[in-house]
Amino acid sequence: MNPADSKIPEGPVAEKWTNYKAHQKLVNPANKRRLDVIVVGTGLAGASAASTLAELGFNVLNFCIQDSPRRAHSIAAQGGINAAKNYQNDGDSVYRLFYDTVKGGDYRAREANVYRLAEVANNIIDQCVAQGVPFAREYGGLLANRSFGGAQVSRTFYAKGQTGQQLLLGAYSSLNRQIQAGKVKSYNRYEMHDVVLVKDKDGVERARGIIAKNLVTGEFERFAAHAVVIATGGYGNTYFLSTNAMGCNCSAAMACYRKGAYFANPAYVQIHPTCIPVHGDKQSKLTLMSESLRNDGRIWVPKKKEDAEKLQKGQIKGSDIPEEDRDYYLERRYPAFGNLVPRDVASRAAKERCDAGFGVNNTGLAVFLDFSEAINRLGIDVVRQRYGNLFDMYEEITDVNPGEFAREVNGVNYYNPMMIFPAIHYTMGGIWVDYELQTSIKGLFAIGECNFSDHGANRLGASALMQGLADGYFVLPYTIQNYLSDQITVPHFSTDLPEFDAAEAKCREAMDRLMNIKGHRSVDSIHKELGHIMWEYVGMARDKEGLELAIKKLGELRKVFNTDLFVPGTQKGMNVELDKAFRLNDFITMGELIAYDALSRNESCGGHFRTEYQTEEGEAKRDDENCFYVSCWDYAGSDAKAPSLIKEPLHYEAIKVQTRNYKS
C-alpha cells in the first residue's frame, strides 16, 4: 500500500490535526442542506455522529438494530472514559495519554490517529458535562478521576459503574433533539444487509446507499444518500461467548468488506481479564466486571498448589487462605503497575497461573479479585460508593456478595473475593480507514469500534468510549466535509437505479438460500461450535499448527452451515432465527479472517499472542523488522476463497518503538 493512501497530514505529530482542519475543504450551510448522509448504528459513535452532522445542517438517516437507540451496546460500558485534563495534578498531559495509548497497543497503531484521539479527548468531557452527564465528583464539586490499566496517572472520568449508559443518554438526547427538529430520520428495528455502490461520471464507485431489512415486517427497503457511515461495533461474538450483547454482530462490516472495503488487523482481539468465569455449557454470553475494580481490588491465586486443589474441590473458600499464602502475581511480576497492567498482560498472566494448576474454581479456570485490603483501609461504605452496582451485579449472578465479611485471622478481616477469568471483550481490528475515517471505498466511512483506527494490538481500558465519541463528535464532522465538498452538485439519488435493484435482489436471494437449506442443525448449535473452534485455536494463545487446523475446521463448519442449517418459520414478518442465521454466515467468514491474519503475523503483540514468539519470561515478542505494518485484507470475491493481504507500513516520528515494560 502506498503510504499516501492513509492521507496522514504533513508536519509534527502534535500539529497534524490542527493543520488538517486549517486546510480542509468545507461545505457552506446552504449546501449542507442539499446533502444526505446515512449513519448505520446508534451507539456512542453512531448517535454522536448523527446528531452532530444534523446540527451542522446535513440531512441524516439513522439506522438502529434495536427498538431504541438507548439499547445500543455502548450502554454496557462500566468503568469510564479517558481524557488528559490533569485535574489530579499528577503529571498527565495530551502527550502522555498519546504515549500510553501507543505503548498499550504494543506499537501497532497509527501515530497520527492516536495523537488526534488524545488531543480531542478533553473536548469530549466538556461536551458531556454540558449535556448533563452525571460524572462522579469530589467533595468540592470538581470532576473525579480514577486509574485504569496501562497508566500511572488518574485520567478516567466515570459515572459510578454505568459510564457508558450515562454517556449514551447524553448522545441520545442530542440525537432526539435533531429528530424533533426534522434533521434526523430515525429507523428503529432496521438491519443493514448491503451497501450500494454507484459509479460516478468518471467511473469511480462510490457508496450511495444501503439495503436494510425491516426486522418487524421482514421486508427489504432501499435508502440512498451522498455518503454512508458505518458505526456498528465489533466482531467479538464470532467467539459465541463474549461480554458483548447477543445482538452484537459484524454483518454490516462484512457487507462493506465483500464490496471492496479492506478489513484491517482482524487478529487483534481483546481478552478482558476481569469477567465472571464460564459456569456451564448452556451459557449464551459472559458478564464483564469493570476494570475500575482493579483500582482497589487485588488479583491473586494460592501460593500452594494443594490449596488450589482444595478450592477446586470446594473443600475451602478463598477467605480461608491467609495473607502469607496468597500470590498477588501481578504485583509480583509487574511492580511498577501492579494490578493495573494493560488487559492483554493481565489476561495472559491469569492464563499462565491457571495453566500451572493454580486456578481457584471447580474448572480451574478462575482467579480471585479481592477487596479485603481496600475495605479494611477505606471502609465498606466508601468501597460500595465506588463499586456498589458492580458488587450487586456480581451477587445477582453468582450469589456471592464480594463486600460481605467472611472471617478474621490474626486481627485481619477477610471478605468474600470475586472470581474472575479472561473473556472476549473488544476487537481492535476493523474496517480499514484513512486519516479521514474513510474506507477504501469512496464515500463509505467507518467510526468507533467497527474501524481499526486507534488502538493498535491492544486497547487500554476506558479508551473505547473515548474513541467512539471522538470520532462522532469531533473528527468525522470535519473529515466528511472534505469528501462531501465535491458532491454538492450531485442531486439526491433515486433508489430505482439498477445498482439498488441488483443489491436488493442479492439480499433476497441470500434469505431464500438460508430458508431453503432445511437441514437439522439450529443456528445456536453451529454458532457454539464456531465459538469452540475460535477459543481453542484462535483465542488467548495461538500457534501455526492450531491456526492451520482452525482454518480447516472453519471451512468444514461452513459446509455444515450451507447444507444442514435449519431455520424455522417464514421470511415474512419477524423471524429472529433467520436474522441470527444471516449474522452467523458473517461470523464464520469473520472467524476465517481472524485466523488468516493471525497465521500471517509471525510475531506476538498485544492481544495477538503466538506461542512460538515469546520471551523467556512468557511475554509477547514482537518482530518490528518484518511486522511493523497494518494488515489489510482484500476480499477475493467469494467466502470460500482466501483473501489477499495488503500491508500499510507504519511510520513513527514522535515515539521510539521499544519493548513494552510494565515492571519498572
Side-chain angles (χ1 to χ4, degrees), residues 105-162:
D106 219 351
Y107 304 93
R108 289 295 179 265
R110 275 203 206 120
E111 214 183 39
N113 290 53
V114 178
Y115 195 93
R116 176 177 65 188
L117 175 65
E119 188 177 349
V120 305
N122 287 348
N123 297 336
I124 298 171
I125 305 304
D126 298 338
Q127 168 89 356
C128 294
V129 169
Q131 289 173 340
V133 172
F135 285 122
R137 293 178 182 268
E138 296 174 347
Y139 182 77
L142 297 177
L143 294 181
N145 293 107
R146 56 189 178 199
S147 298
F148 260 60
Q152 292 180 307
V153 297
S154 294
R155 63 162 67 103
T156 303
F157 296 79
Y158 62 98
K160 208 170 184 179
Q162 48 186 242

Side-chain angles (χ1 to χ4, degrees), residues 580-597:
K580 284 161 60 177
F582 161 68
R583 298 165 196 160
L584 178 55
N585 180 55
D586 296 320
F587 282 135
I588 294 173
T589 303
M590 189 69 242
E592 291 175 320
L593 203 49
I594 297 169
Y596 279 124
D597 190 40

